[in-house]
Amino acid sequence: MQTLHVDLGERSYPIHIGEQLIDRGELLSRHIRGKQVAIVTNDTVAPLYLERLSRSLAGYAITPIVLPDGEAYKDWQTLQSIFDALLTARHDRNTTIIALGGGVVGDMAGFAAASYQRGVDFIQVPTTLLSQVDSSVGGKTGINHPLGKNMVGAFYQPQAVLIDTSTLATLPVRELSAGLAEVIKYGLICDEPFLGWLEENIDKLRGLDQAALTEAIRCSCAAKARVVGADERESGIRATLNLGHTFGHAIETHQGYGVWLHGEAVSAGTVMALEMSRQLGWITVGERDRAVRLLARAGLPVVPPSNMRAEDFLQHMAVDKKVLNGQLRLVLLKRLGEALVTGDFPRELLEATLNVNYDALTQELRT
């Protein structure tokens, strides 16, 4: 097992990474104050891991809360079902909520913990690659709104993150690739040597090589921990973690939540951010193509949906969280390994980026 730390003063917490950690109840019990534990999961993950996690927490009064699986259920109604279960079982302020599942479960359980009785403890036990390298770390919680993704929520840090890499053995291939989009992101925004390591090891990662997965997760979590430690509430550098997300969230919202997986939409959005960075003269065609080729090798889409026009993107991007004082800001690359958040670009250039024929641009890179 490897342990990293998110340094946030009194809100600091550990990230444990290793195999079969779900069975190690002592890693969780040290962060549980009371006798009540609510395990929030979904109907896909529950049959796989709920019983094992419950056994490792023998001695606690456990309330299982099983939600329907999918981004489409990341809403007020499903959140209300968590509160209903907590109140029915009479959970008090010393309860601990454990999120067992992917990013949707983690976001919703975290938001419920931030809100229930004005805040109770929670622990993240992520079971997808995307949640292990991204959403479980950093304290972003929330739900979707029909007009925009993740527009309702709170910053609320967990007590600990327990990453059991062996859970990836049951992850569908499409979900694994979606997680690799976030892994590749770290190389693009802040760690160019890691990008090179990914190019050498992408086939091992897709083949579930445990050593390669552990290293990729460790590097990703270490990068995110550094950024979150420097900017917990996204007032500056943390926003660079959203490379490709403004374009990607527009895709998710327009297509309908869950039609495109989050990582898939981020991948196509990242290609658009790369192209815009190239048009600004910050990266070369070769650098853009290097990144696109790696995304394609990860099994990810590198072309936005054919049914989306520039006007569709602009409509959805207008309600993005990075819009300030009516100005849209985007995460772009000054170079591979260095990102920035900027609103200083001509609108015509953004529209040109949205109107690029990405199918033609990436055709050779996908073969």
Side-chain angles (χ1 to χ4, degrees), residues 54-351:
S54 299
R55 280 201 309 266
S56 72
L57 293 170
Y60 292 96
I62 295 175
T63 301
I65 304 174
V66 181
L67 310 177
D69 186 12
E71 188 84 26
Y73 299 101
K74 189 178 171 183
D75 56 16
W76 277 116
Q77 183 177 353
T78 309
L79 181 69
Q80 184 71 17
S81 70
I82 299 177
F83 295 135
D84 290 345
L86 293 171
L87 288 164
T88 299
R90 299 184 180 180
H91 281 255
D92 59 29
R93 287 184 173 177
N94 284 329
T95 194
T96 296
I97 295 176
I98 298 179
L100 173 66
V104 172
V105 166
D107 278 10
M108 296 190 68
F111 192 21
S115 308
Y116 186 69
Q117 299 201 25
R118 297 183 174 89
V120 298
D121 292 343
F122 90 109
I123 296 170
Q124 291 270 20
V125 184
T127 60
T128 66
L129 181 59
L130 192 147
S131 59
Q132 289 176 356
V133 301
D134 185 55
S135 60
S136 67
V137 178
K140 278 189 177 182
T141 72
I143 58 175
N144 297 329
H145 187 279
L147 296 179
K149 183 177 169 68
N150 294 332
M151 294 302 289
V152 181
F155 286 99
Y156 196 68
Q157 301 297 339
Q159 300 300 303
V161 179
L162 192 73
I163 298 175
D164 187 337
T165 58
S166 60
T167 62
L168 299 179
T170 58
L171 194 65
V173 171
R174 185 182 171 196
E175 292 273 3
L176 181 71
S177 289
L180 288 172
E182 296 285 2
V183 174
I184 293 168
K185 172 192 73 179
Y186 292 109
L188 292 173
I189 66 170
C190 63
D191 193 347
E192 195 275 336
F194 182 45
L195 195 66
W197 183 90
L198 288 170
E199 289 172 321
E200 294 176 3
N201 290 276
I202 194 68
D203 294 333
K204 289 183 179 179
L205 293 172
R206 296 190 71 188
L208 295 178
D209 180 272
Q210 280 294 315
L213 284 169
T214 299
E215 178 64 8
I217 293 167
R218 184 195 66 79
C219 289
S220 298
C221 287
K224 185 156 191 183
R226 289 193 300 270
V227 172
V228 171
D231 178 22
E232 181 181 4
R233 291 183 172 263
E234 202 170 292
S235 59
I237 190 175
R238 181 169 179 171
T240 61
L241 294 170
N242 292 316
L243 177 69
H245 285 56
T246 300
F247 297 108
H249 286 169
I251 292 172
E252 290 183 85
T253 303
H254 190 81
Q255 299 302 107
Y257 298 126
V259 176
W260 279 52
L261 296 179
H262 175 65
E264 293 172 336
V266 165
S267 175
T270 296
V271 175
M272 300 174 82
L274 288 162
E275 170 58 14
M276 189 162 174
S277 301
R278 184 205 64 79
Q279 290 194 34
L280 284 164
W282 293 344
I283 64 173
T284 66
V285 171
E287 288 171 325
R288 178 202 66 193
D289 290 353
R290 177 187 174 191
V292 173
R293 187 176 292 108
L294 180 58
L295 290 165
R297 287 182 61 202
L300 288 159
V302 292
V303 178
S306 58
N307 66 344
M308 287 189 71
R309 302 167 300 168
E311 294 79 9
D312 299 321
F313 276 99
L314 292 171
Q315 177 185 345
H316 295 300
M317 292 163 72
V319 294
D320 186 82
K321 295 188 296 298
K322 288 183 291 302
V323 173
L324 286 181
N325 300 318
Q327 182 182 37
L328 174 66
R329 300 181 304 152
L330 294 171
V331 181
L332 302 172
L333 296 184
K334 288 292 290 184
R335 63 180 182 85
L336 295 186
E338 181 183 347
L340 80 164
V341 184
T342 181
D344 186 19
F345 50 80
R347 182 179 174 88
E348 312 86 74
L349 191 143
L350 172 59
E351 292 179 353

